[in-house]
Amino acid sequence: MTKFILLTITLFLFSLTILSQEQVWQETAPGVWLLKIGQEQSITLLGAAEVTPKIEALENLPDSEFPLAPEKISAEVIDGKTYLRFPLERGEEIYGLGLNFKTHNQRGRILNLHMDHYGGKDNGRSHAPVPFYVSTRGYGVLIDAARYMTVYAGTAIRVDADDPPELLDRNTDSGWQAQPYSDAVEILVPANGANVYLFGGPTMLKAVQRYNLFCGGGYLPPKWGLGFTQRVPTLYSDRDILKEVNEFEEHGFPLDFIGVEPGWHSMAYPCTFEWDSTRFPDPKGFLGSLQEKGIRANLWMNPYISPVGTLYDKVKPYSGSHTVWNGIVPDFTLEEPKALFREHFMEHHIRLGVSGYKIDEVDGFDRWIWPDVATFPSGTSAEEMRQVYGVLFQKMSSDWFREINKRTYGLVRASNAGSSSLPYVIYNDYYSHKDFITALINSSFIGVMWTPEVRSSGNAEDWLRRMQSVCFSPMAMLNAWAEGTKPWSFPEVEEQVRQVAMLRMRLLPYIYSTFAQYHFKGIPPFRAMQLVEGLSISSETEDGELNSSENPYAAYSTREVMYQYMMGKFILVAPMFAGMISREVLLPPGKWYDFYTGELAGEEEVIIIEPGLDLIPLFVKDGAILPMLKEERTRMPAAGEELSLEIRHYGEKPGVFHLYDDDGTSFDYEQGAFSWTELFVTGQGKALKPGMKVSHEGFYSYSQDPEWVFMTPK
Amino acid sequence: MTKFILLTITLFLFSLTILSQEQVWQETAPGVWLLKIGQEQSITLLGAAEVTPKIEALENLPDSEFPLAPEKISAEVIDGKTYLRFPLERGEEIYGLGLNFKTHNQRGRILNLHMDHYGGKDNGRSHAPVPFYVSTRGYGVLIDAARYMTVYAGTAIRVDADDPPELLDRNTDSGWQAQPYSDAVEILVPANGANVYLFGGPTMLKAVQRYNLFCGGGYLPPKWGLGFTQRVPTLYSDRDILKEVNEFEEHGFPLDFIGVEPGWHSMAYPCTFEWDSTRFPDPKGFLGSLQEKGIRANLWMNPYISPVGTLYDKVKPYSGSHTVWNGIVPDFTLEEPKALFREHFMEHHIRLGVSGYKIDEVDGFDRWIWPDVATFPSGTSAEEMRQVYGVLFQKMSSDWFREINKRTYGLVRASNAGSSSLPYVIYNDYYSHKDFITALINSSFIGVMWTPEVRSSGNAEDWLRRMQSVCFSPMAMLNAWAEGTKPWSFPEVEEQVRQVAMLRMRLLPYIYSTFAQYHFKGIPPFRAMQLVEGLSISSETEDGELNSSENPYAAYSTREVMYQYMMGKFILVAPMFAGMISREVLLPPGKWYDFYTGELAGEEEVIIIEPGLDLIPLFVKDGAILPMLKEERTRMPAAGEELSLEIRHYGEKPGVFHLYDDDGTSFDYEQGAFSWTELFVTGQGKALKPGMKVSHEGFYSYSQDPEWVFMTPK
């Protein structure tokens, strides 16, 4: 109660208002302003995610002024639709606007943000059509509306533009552009109202942090969630799975959780959510056998209920007008079907030991998901339902695990704004390794997580390159549902695959602390170079060449820094792709060192590397401190284990790392049951000296006499 | 006046009404029923086209019953959107739903009918997103709404479906389908009302005829429009163009009209619509020089007005909020800008002798056309304006030519429902020869015309194959705006290209009569095999193979009869594509003969042909009568010329052909100034005898003693 009053007072203090064309911007949280336009909508993105802003953490960010000139923002409702306009300046770039797979900077693009399986074009149809963008000028904009909104991200040009493009003749002026300069982002929301949020900076990273914190802070996975996971082929029985676990042990390969694919339901597509008694005669026994080996189970499902399942008749009154694969579609904006699902899932899965879910097919494809003409008993439109369905299921299911005070970590194919604090990683069926990395990078702008999962490969090189990438992502996963692959499917690279998986295991203290930064400060664990403070990257345009059918308007193309990202504060990851022998890497300001050798790689420059096949290129910042597990292991540590640390230092400079720890599985950290340990190196060059300071030793599971390794030769 | 009263009485007699769920279907014209749902919209597709139904011609079609069970049609307005549902039966196929480039049968597809440049996928974004479909059960459905409507063409499945799909388990039942059976077409119109029309059959062709006649009947081009047209490179001056005309004469190549591309405006992109005085110092003299050679001129333009043009200030008060390439966008739903355009275009072009326009860029692309957040002074939304803009310009400009009693024939990149009677052929920048043929075929379902224009080729074979195709299309055009190609650009096939162009010239009597059938009876001149009465074609589905990334749901694919079509009643065209040595051709019921040799090709069967490079495969129906010009010529005939005919007969059977004629350029035929000549062959086998009967000799320009050629050896 005291907390509630404090929050209210805080909110009151921040309720400074800014007037703009009779619009009232209200500072709803520190550095976060809200403008309510038109009619309040019954379904919103943040509402579906039930976000609880982390006000204290927001207060700890630097103060921010209202980041735009309010009179340059326009918002009005015309004929039942909401028209929005935000200014852009010359040279400004914008990032975000959904989970895009091919491009980063969205300025100059048009996106219809529409929940869908990614179809090969960055046109807004995506697994996470998040209507949030962040600008290189250091602010963020969120349109909180569960609609198929169209965003003209610097393409539309008004007759009365403040900064109009130059008037040129296409035929006689060489500077003529197919797409003239636009000084605004314009957005059409097909609804008679919307909530618009502005997030202050002053940097891009700070704006993203504010967004994530406003959405409740990033999710902190259980430690086991950061280990390796294998998803087994469809129709695998309990015996097949236990055999698979044994094979992992025989191969000395890490494994923390198993994904059980279709075959465990008594019917699937549509689903019953009841165990098939031939393949899983004793689910509790099966889950217990896994637990004995320290393995968790994640169950595949989609939410469409089969007529042969016991849930069907109960949920039918609370389901939509249309079927998906003959299954009914529960209306999860209502309490009744949520209660029925909770009861069923708790009884049949979670109380038996199931640790999480893979929520499939909540995105599309259009051809089988419910159509936009579907109706739902709550009155929610099909469009709104489509935009939030994945988020509704994420929130509902995450609450079940919270109820038993166990963290989960699962997969989902549809997300949206507000899901930063939800325990799900996005995946899909698209399978371009390069585009998977672009998606991983873009996920950092919009508060979602993405895994470049591995399924199968045409050759060992591709296999290894994909395995290397997925081990530097939020979920290290081999998804063998269709092809039945194993990590050792290509024996010629088995050892290299094992090594990179082991490296991920050993990096747990660093990665887990990185996720803690996501949770407590909103800093994305895997993040775009554009979010590195102090680094200024501009995408460059290149003139197009006229071709009457391929490029009839000689439209320009954009060149961007691609395929490299930060894992946490210190490690720069530059994945390699099959067929690639060398690549460019942009090193931000300061000196950077090779992760494996500690040798200087370069300083604020573009380097060209030829890393060979065995290792994924990793670069470490000068002064970096990387806490790692000393020993290789195949399971993530359980509560109560004490672990030996190897703490690496790179470069010449002193540095600090804050090592986070807690019990690794429960939500007790929310009540203060965690520790932060300051690992530090002082001095310079040859006189570097290590040290550490543990807070709350009770929640600290590592050895207090770590092995310090100074990686860079002095 | 008498006519008006007669029409009124006729309409009254047909106003039989059918009740359906309190909806009232009104027979608004013979065999055409209208249901008005929700609120009347100020902009509709048929309203933009200002259609005048050809009631008499509709009366002459066979009587039709209301073609569907009215209780199976549902229509309602929910939250400002119109929800529609029409039944489908097992085995039924549907065609139309926009100008698609890759597929014919649309059952099983989802289309968001949205005006746009074709983007490579049949998803509804197209140059003619016509919301009309025709069913193999012999009826048509039109949703007359100028909106981005979404059509679920047999994909959506209701929980309470009359004919639900079978319940199967994906993992254990081999018959499981990624896309289960759906028994309905469902449509979401994002507006609070719509007009729905049902067109009776009893055949697909009759339903299409009804649709075309309801839209005013097909357009009858001037004879010169059916000759060859060359579009010259940008920045060509008057002298360059006259030189080009001389080159055509030197090469003995047909040429009836010249397309003048950007460079004639004093500024273009945006346009002034005023002649550039350096390249065209004497427009009237230039046009006169062309006319002396029997050549017409067609002017390229887009409707976006440059600030340096005299129209700018006058039209600005009547233009939209956004610019296109710095040009303002006139609101052509208002009378004032239409009057200003009329005055300007009449004075500066048409009265000087300009014969038509190419209306470019009224479709999209999204990136430079006005955004959906644009507003217009009439209150018309950007979405509505986008859907009808091309049609508005087509209608407005066609009226200018009607005013001077001269037919025009031009090009447009955006059309929609209601444009059957408008004098424009659609084209685009997409350049797949095969897909161009698919579009040509699909155009016949939706009352538009399409040209598979030729621009350039990588090799002589592709060049010749494209030239052969375009000569069997509504407009035989080489568009050299970018590459500066000439028909003889590949000297090794110059003679074959000339021959096919000459063949088109010689076929004028047949083609012109075929267009007259379009005008008077609504029969598309170039038409899909599905519209051949008596021929039943089904597309076949093929099971898909599971691949976790390429085809994760093992979705089926559809195999269709592709790349062949009818030109008029008797000629089956089966184009060849570069790299193809042989192909299949489906011959409909009856015997079919080779056009060139008269030899039997087959009878109601699929044949495989290896036609060689020189000729485009053409097959002629048993009993066919083909009137052709006896002599080769490079210009279409002018009024007053008398022309010698060669009339060919093919096969063993007697036959009839109705040869149409008129002055070839004016609208006097609307007042009865035309002739129909019955060409007939009686008897059988060796005893076949020709004959002819001319009506209205005054309007008949051919010799009355034609040379009859019996092509098939007896």
Side-chain angles (χ1 to χ4, degrees):
Chain A
M1 189 47 122
T2 324
K3 208 165 190 179
F4 177 75
I5 291 167
L6 271 171
L7 277 182
T8 313
I9 292 169
T10 315
L11 284 168
F12 179 74
L13 288 170
F14 278 102
S15 66
L16 164 74
T17 60
I18 290 176
L19 294 165
S20 141
Q21 299 174 328
E22 298 166 41
Q23 312 283 8
V24 179
W25 285 95
Q26 185 117 12
E27 191 167 10
T28 185
V32 182
W33 290 266
L34 166 62
L35 175 65
K36 287 173 176 280
I37 302 146
Q39 220 171 295
E40 188 83 30
Q41 305 293 301
S42 55
I43 303 286
T44 64
L45 301 176
L46 300 191
E50 300 177 39
V51 305
T52 307
K54 272 186 126 63
I55 298 297
E56 263 182 294
L58 283 163
E59 278 169 351
N60 289 336
L61 288 176
D63 283 350
S64 170
E65 303 277 293
F66 189 81
L68 292 170
E71 72 280 5
K72 294 216 170 181
I73 300 171
S74 114
E76 53 184 325
V77 178
I78 304 172
D79 281 346
K81 292 182 181 175
T82 302
Y83 289 60
L84 302 170
R85 187 163 194 267
F86 302 91
L88 287 177
E89 294 197 355
R90 298 250 169 197
E92 184 173 359
E93 298 183 354
I94 59 178
Y95 292 85
L97 294 173
L99 190 63
N100 291 301
F101 284 73
K102 290 184 180 288
T103 57
H104 295 301
N105 177 18
Q106 296 304 312
R107 186 167 185 177
R109 305 182 64 81
I110 299 168
L111 300 135
N112 182 250
L113 297 172
H114 187 305
M115 182 64 75
D116 201 357
H117 196 279
Y118 182 66
K121 281 188 183 171
D122 286 358
N123 58 12
R125 285 190 172 244
S126 150
H127 305 269
V130 179
F132 174 73
Y133 66 86
V134 59
S135 156
T136 47
R137 293 190 56 240
Y139 64 88
V141 176
L142 170 69
I143 316 304
D144 185 17
R147 300 286 180 164
Y148 303 152
M149 70 184 79
T150 307
V151 182
Y152 299 87
T155 67
I157 302 154
R158 288 187 63 91
V159 175
D160 59 2
D162 288 335
D163 188 4
E166 195 184 354
L167 177 66
L168 296 168
D169 184 306
R170 173 174 181 180
N171 309 292
T172 54
D173 296 319
S174 65
W176 185 90
Q177 289 280 14
Q179 219 179 302
Y181 178 78
S182 158
D183 65 353
V185 175
E186 298 202 62
I187 302 171
L188 185 68
V189 185
N192 60 0
N195 292 339
V196 180
Y197 292 90
L198 253 176
F199 296 87
T203 63
M204 273 179 88
L205 178 62
K206 291 285 182 300
V208 167
Q209 286 179 253
R210 266 185 233 277
Y211 168 75
N212 285 328
L213 291 171
F214 190 74
C215 297
Y219 186 70
L220 180 64
K223 285 182 184 168
W224 59 261
L226 299 174
F228 195 84
T229 182
Q230 171 86 359
R231 302 201 69 86
V232 302
T234 54
L235 296 177
Y236 254 36
S237 69
D238 51 6
R239 295 154 305 270
D240 297 327
I241 292 172
L242 291 167
K243 192 164 154 273
E244 179 112 333
V245 170
N246 287 341
E247 283 180 42
F248 269 74
E249 286 173 357
E250 283 159 28
H251 284 268
F253 203 91
L255 182 67
D256 269 285
F257 58 115
I258 279 277
V260 188
E261 289 285 319
W264 72 266
H265 297 260
S266 57
M267 172 180 252
Y269 292 47
C271 294
T272 58
F273 317 106
E274 287 153 29
W275 296 89
D276 178 85
S277 59
T278 59
R279 288 182 289 275
F280 294 89
D282 174 17
K284 192 171 180 179
F286 160 68
L287 293 164
S289 305
L290 285 179
Q291 274 157 20
E292 277 167 29
K293 290 172 173 288
I295 306 285
R296 265 87 177 173
N298 173 294
L299 297 185
W300 170 91
M301 52 145 291
N302 59 43
Y304 315 118
I305 311 173
S306 169
V308 305
T310 55
L311 269 175
Y312 186 87
D313 287 336
K314 296 182 215 161
V315 177
K316 201 174 175 193
Y318 312 109
S319 64
S321 57
H322 285 68
T323 61
V324 177
W325 291 309
N326 276 308
I328 52 171
V329 182
D331 182 342
F332 290 121
T333 68
L334 298 173
E335 289 309 315
E336 295 89 338
K338 285 169 70 174
L340 290 162
F341 265 67
R342 182 197 151 279
E343 190 183 352
H344 185 99
F345 278 59
M346 289 301 258
E347 178 188 339
H348 292 276
H349 316 148
I350 297 173
R351 290 215 187 90
L352 306 188
V354 166
S355 293
Y357 295 96
K358 173 182 176 181
I359 310 163
D360 210 4
E361 285 121 358
V362 282
D363 49 340
F365 302 61
D366 277 355
R367 291 194 297 285
W368 43 86
I369 209 163
W370 65 86
D372 288 347
V373 290
T375 53
F376 288 89
S378 61
T380 304
S381 69
E383 172 185 358
E384 291 167 305
M385 196 63 92
R386 180 88 175 260
Q387 297 293 70
V388 301
Y389 208 68
V391 171
L392 290 171
F393 207 102
Q394 286 180 66
K395 174 61 179 156
M396 171 177 76
S397 55
S398 72
D399 286 349
W400 303 334
F401 290 96
R402 181 171 281 276
E403 206 178 304
I404 58 166
N405 196 28
K406 281 189 182 166
R407 281 180 254 169
T408 180
Y409 198 45
L411 290 156
V412 71
R413 223 169 67 183
S415 200
N416 212 323
S419 58
S420 311
S421 67
L422 296 173
Y424 288 95
V425 181
I426 310 172
Y427 67 97
N428 72 0
D429 289 329
Y430 184 73
Y431 197 60
S432 157
H433 185 189
K434 281 188 157 181
D435 293 356
F436 271 16
I437 299 306
T438 303
L440 174 60
I441 294 167
N442 282 328
S443 69
S444 65
F445 297 119
I446 55 173
V448 298
M449 287 184 285
W450 164 262
T451 173
E453 62 164 47
V454 183
R455 293 187 173 190
S456 63
S457 287
N459 57 64
E461 184 193 3
D462 181 64
W463 182 252
L464 176 56
R465 291 309 193 193
R466 287 179 179 271
M467 280 290 189
Q468 288 172 344
S469 293
V470 84
C471 287
F472 285 82
S473 85
M475 191 179 284
M477 170 164 66
L478 174 54
N479 181 359
W481 76 274
E483 284 91 358
T485 42
K486 320 283 175 201
W488 48 89
S489 279
F490 290 86
E492 59 269 51
V493 293
E494 176 176 351
E495 184 49 27
Q496 291 96 319
V497 169
R498 208 189 62 83
Q499 273 178 12
V500 74
M502 280 299 177
L503 177 57
R504 180 185 176 93
M505 298 298 283
R506 291 191 61 204
L507 280 166
L508 170 73
Y510 176 79
I511 297 176
Y512 196 55
S513 302
T514 292
F515 271 95
Q517 296 284 350
Y518 187 34
H519 176 71
F520 290 100
K521 296 189 176 171
I523 302 174
F526 297 85
R527 51 189 181 262
M529 301 310 296
Q530 285 81 2
L531 297 180
V532 174
E533 295 185 326
L535 173 64
S536 165
I537 303 177
S538 287
S539 50
E540 288 162 28
T541 59
E542 285 175 354
D543 286 346
E545 204 164 310
L546 178 68
N547 175 307
S548 84
S549 47
E550 299 298 318
N551 191 5
Y553 299 88
Y556 63 76
S557 57
T558 303
R559 198 178 128 84
E560 301 191 272
V561 174
M562 306 285 284
Y563 313 128
Q564 65 174 81
Y565 56 94
M566 298 300 298
M567 179 171 82
K569 191 177 171 182
F570 290 134
I571 301 180
L572 189 162
V573 186
M576 298 290 289
F577 305 101
M580 184 188 262
I581 287 165
S582 70
R583 64 160 290 170
E584 291 188 350
V585 181
L586 170 70
L587 299 175
K591 291 183 175 168
W592 291 79
Y593 298 85
D594 183 279
F595 171 83
Y596 304 98
T597 65
E599 280 168 19
L600 182 66
E603 179 175 0
E604 198 172 7
E605 63 186 308
V606 174
I607 58 171
I608 294 171
I609 55 169
E610 283 190 34
L613 186 61
D614 292 349
L615 303 171
I616 180 171
L618 302 173
F619 300 93
V620 184
K621 204 173 169 177
D622 194 3
I625 293 170
L626 305 185
M628 297 168 64
L629 299 182
K630 203 165 183 170
E631 315 288 342
E632 291 192 348
R633 48 187 298 141
T634 58
R635 303 279 182 272
M636 282 300 179
E641 277 190 80
E642 192 182 295
L643 302 142
S644 302
L645 279 181
E646 170 184 318
I647 306 180
R648 295 187 178 182
H649 174 271
Y650 287 81
E652 307 163 356
K653 290 166 75 173
V656 181
F657 185 85
H658 293 97
L659 175 63
Y660 174 81
D661 205 15
D662 60 19
D663 66 20
T665 59
S666 81
F667 290 96
D668 294 352
Y669 68 93
E670 292 184 350
Q671 315 308 324
F674 58 82
S675 68
W676 283 105
T677 299
E678 193 172 292
L679 307 176
F680 53 86
V681 167
T682 53
Q684 279 289 351
K686 294 196 180 187
L688 288 171
K689 269 188 201 149
M692 65 188 290
K693 213 171 83 187
V694 186
S695 79
H696 293 85
E697 282 177 27
F699 312 115
Y700 180 76
S701 60
Y702 302 107
S703 62
Q704 299 223 13
D705 55 342
E707 181 182 343
W708 284 86
V709 181
F710 287 83
M711 289 293 291
T712 304
K714 280 158 200 161
Chain B
M1 189 45 122
T2 323
K3 210 167 191 177
F4 177 72
I5 292 167
L6 271 171
L7 278 183
T8 313
I9 292 168
T10 315
L11 284 169
F12 179 74
L13 288 171
F14 279 100
S15 66
L16 165 75
T17 60
I18 290 177
L19 294 165
S20 142
Q21 298 174 328
E22 298 167 40
Q23 312 283 7
V24 179
W25 285 96
Q26 184 116 14
E27 191 168 9
T28 185
V32 183
W33 290 266
L34 166 62
L35 175 65
K36 287 172 176 282
I37 301 148
Q39 218 171 296
E40 188 82 32
Q41 305 294 301
S42 55
I43 303 287
T44 64
L45 301 177
L46 300 191
E50 299 177 39
V51 305
T52 309
K54 272 185 126 63
I55 298 298
E56 263 182 295
L58 284 164
E59 278 169 351
N60 290 334
L61 288 176
D63 283 350
S64 171
E65 303 277 294
F66 189 81
L68 292 170
E71 73 280 3
K72 294 216 170 182
I73 301 171
S74 113
E76 54 183 325
V77 177
I78 304 172
D79 281 346
K81 292 182 181 175
T82 303
Y83 290 59
L84 303 170
R85 187 162 194 267
F86 302 90
L88 286 176
E89 294 198 354
R90 299 250 167 194
E92 185 173 357
E93 298 184 353
I94 60 178
Y95 293 85
L97 294 173
L99 189 63
N100 292 300
F101 284 74
K102 290 184 180 288
T103 57
H104 295 302
N105 177 16
Q106 296 303 311
R107 186 166 183 176
R109 304 182 64 82
I110 299 168
L111 300 135
N112 182 249
L113 297 172
H114 187 306
M115 182 65 73
D116 201 357
H117 196 281
Y118 182 68
K121 281 188 184 172
D122 286 357
N123 58 11
R125 285 191 171 243
S126 149
H127 305 269
V130 179
F132 175 73
Y133 68 86
V134 59
S135 156
T136 46
R137 293 190 56 240
Y139 63 88
V141 176
L142 170 69
I143 316 304
D144 184 18
R147 300 286 179 165
Y148 304 151
M149 70 184 78
T150 306
V151 181
Y152 299 87
T155 67
I157 302 154
R158 287 186 65 90
V159 175
D160 59 2
D162 288 335
D163 187 5
E166 196 183 353
L167 177 67
L168 296 168
D169 185 307
R170 173 174 181 180
N171 310 293
T172 53
D173 296 319
S174 65
W176 185 90
Q177 288 281 14
Q179 221 180 300
Y181 179 78
S182 158
D183 65 354
V185 174
E186 298 203 60
I187 302 171
L188 185 68
V189 185
N192 60 2
N195 291 340
V196 180
Y197 293 90
L198 253 177
F199 297 87
T203 63
M204 274 179 87
L205 177 61
K206 292 285 182 301
V208 168
Q209 285 179 253
R210 268 184 231 276
Y211 168 75
N212 284 329
L213 291 172
F214 191 75
C215 298
Y219 185 69
L220 180 63
K223 285 182 183 169
W224 60 260
L226 299 174
F228 194 86
T229 181
Q230 171 85 0
R231 302 201 70 87
V232 302
T234 54
L235 296 178
Y236 254 37
S237 69
D238 51 5
R239 294 156 307 271
D240 296 329
I241 292 172
L242 290 168
K243 191 162 153 274
E244 179 112 332
V245 170
N246 288 339
E247 281 179 44
F248 269 74
E249 286 172 357
E250 283 159 28
H251 283 269
F253 203 90
L255 183 66
D256 269 285
F257 59 116
I258 279 278
V260 189
E261 288 283 320
W264 72 265
H265 297 261
S266 57
M267 171 179 254
Y269 292 46
C271 294
T272 58
F273 317 105
E274 287 154 29
W275 297 88
D276 179 85
S277 60
T278 59
R279 287 183 290 275
F280 294 89
D282 174 18
K284 192 172 180 178
F286 160 67
L287 294 164
S289 304
L290 284 180
Q291 274 157 19
E292 277 167 30
K293 291 173 172 287
I295 306 286
R296 265 89 177 172
N298 173 295
L299 297 185
W300 170 92
M301 52 144 292
N302 59 43
Y304 314 118
I305 310 174
S306 168
V308 304
T310 55
L311 269 175
Y312 186 86
D313 287 336
K314 295 182 218 163
V315 177
K316 201 173 174 193
Y318 312 109
S319 64
S321 57
H322 285 68
T323 61
V324 177
W325 292 309
N326 277 306
I328 52 171
V329 182
D331 182 341
F332 290 122
T333 68
L334 298 173
E335 289 309 314
E336 294 89 337
K338 285 169 72 174
L340 290 162
F341 264 67
R342 181 196 152 279
E343 191 183 353
H344 184 99
F345 278 58
M346 290 300 260
E347 179 188 337
H348 292 277
H349 316 147
I350 297 174
R351 290 216 187 88
L352 306 187
V354 167
S355 293
Y357 294 97
K358 172 181 176 180
I359 310 163
D360 211 4
E361 286 120 357
V362 281
D363 49 339
F365 302 63
D366 276 356
R367 291 194 297 285
W368 41 87
I369 209 163
W370 65 86
D372 288 346
V373 289
T375 53
F376 288 89
S378 61
T380 303
S381 70
E383 174 185 356
E384 292 167 303
M385 196 63 94
R386 180 89 175 259
Q387 296 294 68
V388 301
Y389 208 66
V391 170
L392 289 172
F393 208 103
Q394 286 181 65
K395 174 61 180 156
M396 171 175 77
S397 55
S398 72
D399 285 348
W400 302 334
F401 290 97
R402 181 171 280 276
E403 208 179 303
I404 57 166
N405 196 27
K406 282 189 181 166
R407 281 179 254 169
T408 180
Y409 198 47
L411 291 156
V412 71
R413 224 168 68 183
S415 201
N416 212 325
S419 58
S420 310
S421 67
L422 296 173
Y424 288 95
V425 181
I426 310 171
Y427 66 98
N428 73 359
D429 289 330
Y430 185 73
Y431 197 59
S432 158
H433 185 190
K434 281 188 157 182
D435 292 355
F436 270 17
I437 299 305
T438 302
L440 174 59
I441 295 167
N442 282 329
S443 70
S444 65
F445 298 119
I446 56 173
V448 298
M449 287 184 284
W450 164 261
T451 173
E453 62 164 50
V454 183
R455 294 187 172 189
S456 63
S457 288
N459 57 63
E461 185 194 2
D462 181 63
W463 183 254
L464 175 56
R465 291 309 192 192
R466 286 178 179 271
M467 278 290 189
Q468 288 171 344
S469 293
V470 85
C471 287
F472 285 82
S473 84
M475 191 179 283
M477 169 163 66
L478 173 54
N479 181 358
W481 76 274
E483 284 90 358
T485 42
K486 320 284 175 201
W488 48 89
S489 279
F490 290 86
E492 59 270 50
V493 294
E494 176 177 351
E495 184 49 28
Q496 291 96 319
V497 169
R498 207 189 63 82
Q499 273 177 13
V500 73
M502 279 302 178
L503 177 57
R504 180 185 176 94
M505 298 297 285
R506 290 191 61 204
L507 280 167
L508 170 72
Y510 177 80
I511 297 177
Y512 195 55
S513 301
T514 292
F515 270 95
Q517 296 283 350
Y518 187 33
H519 175 72
F520 289 100
K521 295 188 176 171
I523 302 174
F526 297 85
R527 51 188 182 263
M529 300 311 295
Q530 285 81 1
L531 296 181
V532 174
E533 296 185 325
L535 173 64
S536 166
I537 304 178
S538 286
S539 50
E540 287 162 27
T541 58
E542 284 174 357
D543 285 348
E545 204 164 311
L546 178 68
N547 175 307
S548 84
S549 48
E550 299 297 318
N551 192 5
Y553 299 88
Y556 62 77
S557 57
T558 302
R559 198 178 128 86
E560 302 192 272
V561 173
M562 305 286 284
Y563 314 129
Q564 64 174 79
Y565 56 94
M566 297 299 299
M567 179 170 83
K569 192 178 170 182
F570 290 134
I571 300 179
L572 189 163
V573 186
M576 298 290 290
F577 305 101
M580 183 187 262
I581 287 166
S582 70
R583 64 160 290 170
E584 291 187 351
V585 181
L586 170 70
L587 300 176
K591 290 182 175 169
W592 291 79
Y593 298 86
D594 183 279
F595 171 83
Y596 304 99
T597 65
E599 281 167 19
L600 182 66
E603 179 175 358
E604 198 171 7
E605 64 187 307
V606 175
I607 59 170
I608 294 172
I609 55 169
E610 283 191 33
L613 187 62
D614 293 349
L615 303 171
I616 180 171
L618 302 173
F619 300 93
V620 184
K621 204 174 169 176
D622 195 3
I625 293 170
L626 305 185
M628 297 170 64
L629 299 182
K630 203 163 184 172
E631 314 288 341
E632 291 192 348
R633 50 187 298 143
T634 58
R635 303 279 182 273
M636 283 299 178
E641 276 190 81
E642 193 182 295
L643 301 143
S644 302
L645 279 182
E646 170 184 320
I647 307 180
R648 296 188 179 182
H649 173 271
Y650 286 80
E652 307 162 355
K653 290 168 72 174
V656 181
F657 185 85
H658 294 98
L659 174 63
Y660 175 81
D661 204 15
D662 60 20
D663 66 20
T665 58
S666 81
F667 289 96
D668 294 352
Y669 69 94
E670 292 185 351
Q671 315 307 324
F674 60 81
S675 68
W676 283 106
T677 299
E678 193 172 291
L679 307 175
F680 53 87
V681 167
T682 53
Q684 279 290 351
K686 296 197 177 185
L688 289 171
K689 270 187 198 152
M692 64 188 290
K693 213 171 86 188
V694 185
S695 78
H696 293 85
E697 283 177 24
F699 312 115
Y700 180 76
S701 61
Y702 302 108
S703 62
Q704 299 223 11
D705 55 342
E707 181 181 342
W708 283 85
V709 181
F710 286 83
M711 290 294 291
T712 303
K714 281 160 200 161

